[in-house]
Amino acid sequence: IAISEVNKHALAIRNSIHPQKVDNIGDITCANWDHISDLDLFSGGFPCQPFSALGSMKGFKDPRVKAMYAMRDMILDTLPRYVLLENVGGILHSKNREALNRFLSSFYPSYLPPTFITSNPNDLGWFQSRTRVFICLSRIDQPPWEPRVTKTYIQTWRDVVDSNPDPKHFFKGKPKSRIQIVVSENSKKFECITRRGITAHCGRASWIQHGDGFRSPTTKELFHLFGYDPIPKIEMGGLISRSSFSMAMGNSWHVGHVANLLK
C-alpha cells in the first residue's frame, strides 16, 4: 500500500526489483499518512545505530530513535491487524530494556503483548549470518500471531558463488591484516556484509579469494546470500552503482528469513 524510504539509491533498487510502484510517504518522522487505512500488516526496521555494537550504542538517548516513535504513531493511527518490527540484538541489552518496555507498553490496549523472535538466517539453513530481533504484535481483536521460524534447507557457498564474476559488480581488495574471514567451499556461513565494512576492509566481514587478493560479493551473490529466489534482474549504472547496491543490501532484511517468519 505504501512505503517510507528516504534513500534515493535504495528506492531505485526497490523500483528496479519490484515493477509495482507504490506510494512513498517519505521521511517517517514528518510523513502524512491520513490517506492510509485498513492495513493487514505494518512492517519496518528502525535505525539500528543506537543499539548496534558497531554504532553509537547510545540506546534510546540517540536522536535517531525518533523514527521509532514516528513508526509507533503511524501504527496507532492506522491500527494494522499485525505489526512486524526489526532491529539488532543489542536492543534487548539490559541497559535498553526499561526504555524498550515503556515504548512497547504504549501499544496497549490496542495490541496484545509482543512476541520476540531472535533469529539468524544461518541457523535456518542459509549461508548468510545475521542475527536479528523481530518484535511481533497482534491487534487485540485479531487471532494472536504466533510466528515460528523453521529450518528450510542447507545453502552452501557452492550454491551462492558466481562462477564468472563481473568486475563491475564487486569491490577488489589487497591482502591486509584486517581481512580475517575468507570464504571457501568448506565455509559454513558468510558474515554480515556492509558497504562501510568493505571500504574499511573490516575484519568482521567475509571476503572472497580473488587472484592475489580478495573481493566482495557480486550483485548476483548478494541476492543469493539474502535469500532471493528467483534472482531479480537489475540494471547497474546511474543511481544503482555497486556502492549503492552493497549499501542497500547491507541494510536490508534477509528476504528468505523474513518470508519464513511471515509464513
Side-chain angles (χ1 to χ4, degrees):
I1 294 175
I3 60 172
S4 167
E5 180 58 71
V6 296
N7 186 300
K8 65 180 182 179
H9 304 296
L11 191 59
I13 292 166
R14 184 204 180 279
N15 290 340
S16 178
I17 294 171
H18 299 285
Q20 180 190 11
K21 302 299 185 287
V22 297
D23 178 27
N24 180 15
I25 62 175
D27 185 348
I28 192 72
T29 63
C30 56
N32 184 327
W33 51 77
D34 291 343
H35 59 295
I36 297 173
S37 62
D38 194 28
L39 298 179
D40 290 314
L41 175 71
F42 179 106
S43 67
F46 42 91
C48 66
Q49 295 94 331
F51 310 105
S52 171
L54 295 177
S56 71
M57 296 188 70
K58 292 181 179 179
F60 283 81
K61 296 179 181 179
D62 191 305
R64 280 171 286 206
V65 300
K66 66 181 181 179
M68 189 174 175
Y69 291 104
M71 291 167 70
R72 178 198 61 188
D73 292 345
M74 183 175 178
I75 291 166
L76 293 178
D77 282 347
T78 58
L79 292 179
R81 292 170 179 81
Y82 297 99
V83 175
L84 179 65
L85 303 176
E86 172 267 353
N87 213 265
V88 295
I91 195 170
L92 298 181
H93 192 279
S94 57
K95 71 176 184 179
N96 298 321
R97 202 57 196 250
E98 184 178 347
L100 177 63
N101 287 340
R102 283 199 303 269
F103 169 76
L104 293 173
S105 68
S106 62
F107 289 99
Y108 309 150
S110 300
Y111 288 87
L112 296 170
T115 297
F116 290 90
I117 299 286
T118 301
S119 184
N120 187 318
N122 187 248
D123 295 336
L124 305 180
W126 282 286
F127 201 62
Q128 171 78 329
S129 177
R130 184 178 188 173
T131 299
R132 285 294 180 267
V133 172
F134 296 96
I135 303 170
C136 314
L137 292 165
S138 305
R139 201 171 68 191
I140 193 72
D141 62 338
Q142 298 297 309
W145 180 24
E146 298 176 353
R148 296 180 179 89
V149 285
T150 56
K151 192 156 188 172
T152 51
Y153 58 91
I154 302 298
Q155 185 186 53
T156 66
W157 179 236
R158 190 174 298 172
D159 301 321
V160 173
V161 68
D162 192 339
S163 59
N164 187 27
D166 185 339
K168 294 184 294 185
H169 287 234
F170 63 79
F171 294 90
K172 288 188 289 187
K174 294 181 180 179
K176 284 190 176 182
S177 59
R178 280 185 290 178
I179 296 181
Q180 300 173 8
I181 306 170
V182 182
V183 295
S184 67
E185 286 190 6
N186 298 321
S187 299
K188 295 184 178 179
K189 62 183 177 180
F190 198 98
E191 298 294 344
C192 184
I193 186 76
T194 64
R195 176 67 183 93
R196 184 176 294 174
I198 293 171
T199 305
H201 288 186
C202 177
R204 293 183 56 169
S206 290
W207 287 80
I208 304 158
Q209 192 78 43
H210 182 73
D212 59 352
F214 306 97
R215 67 170 176 84
S216 67
T218 65
T219 304
K220 186 176 178 181
E221 287 167 343
L222 278 171
F223 275 133
H224 276 300
L225 284 167
F226 278 79
Y228 282 81
D229 183 21
I231 301 300
K233 295 184 185 299
I234 189 167
E235 294 296 326
M236 304 294 282
L239 283 176
I240 307 176
S241 64
R242 61 183 179 180
S243 176
S244 61
F245 185 82
S246 294
M247 183 176 292
M249 290 295 283
N251 285 296
S252 72
W253 289 3
H254 187 293
V255 297
H257 189 195
V258 178
N260 185 308
L261 186 72
L262 291 173
K263 188 182 296 183

